[in-house]
Amino acid sequence: ILLIEEGMQGMRFCCPTCPFRHNITKTYTNDVKLKRKEVDDVLGGADAWENVDRTEARCPHCLHNEAYFMQMQIRSADEPST
């Protein structure tokens, strides 16, 4: 792998294991298209919200009168849930 360092005539490629040096005289680009990973739904997906707790609360935006929530344990077993 070549590293980039500042030389006397500007920037240059250099090898960290041998004395190779090459002055950079033009712009080098390398575009790599990365494949997106598939994300797991950590909350269980849409089915996880079917049997959750509910409370009366009025939403100022959509004016619904009910709010849904779930409790989950994110700490060790001897601590209270969050």
Side-chain angles (χ1 to χ4, degrees), residues 38-46 48-49 70-74:
E38 191 172 315
V39 179
D40 293 334
D41 193 347
V42 295
L43 296 178
W49 290 96
M70 72 170 69
Q71 297 181 26
M72 53 182 23
Q73 185 173 342
I74 59 173

Side-chain angles (χ1 to χ4, degrees), residues 6-41:
E6 190 170 350
M8 294 201 295
Q9 300 171 345
M11 301 304 283
R12 64 184 180 185
F13 292 117
C14 66
C15 178
T17 57
C18 75
F20 174 78
R21 303 288 184 261
H22 177 75
N23 291 329
I24 300 174
T25 57
K26 63 179 184 174
T27 301
Y28 293 91
T29 61
N30 185 17
D31 292 337
V32 177
K33 300 293 181 192
L34 300 176
K35 183 179 174 185
R36 288 179 104 25
K37 292 183 181 179
E38 191 172 315
V39 179
D40 293 334
D41 193 347

Side-chain angles (χ1 to χ4, degrees), residues 62-80:
C62 67
L63 303 177
H64 282 102
N65 293 321
E66 205 169 33
Y68 302 88
F69 66 95
M70 72 170 69
Q71 297 181 26
M72 53 182 23
Q73 185 173 342
I74 59 173
R75 297 191 173 116
S76 63
D78 62 340
E79 295 183 24

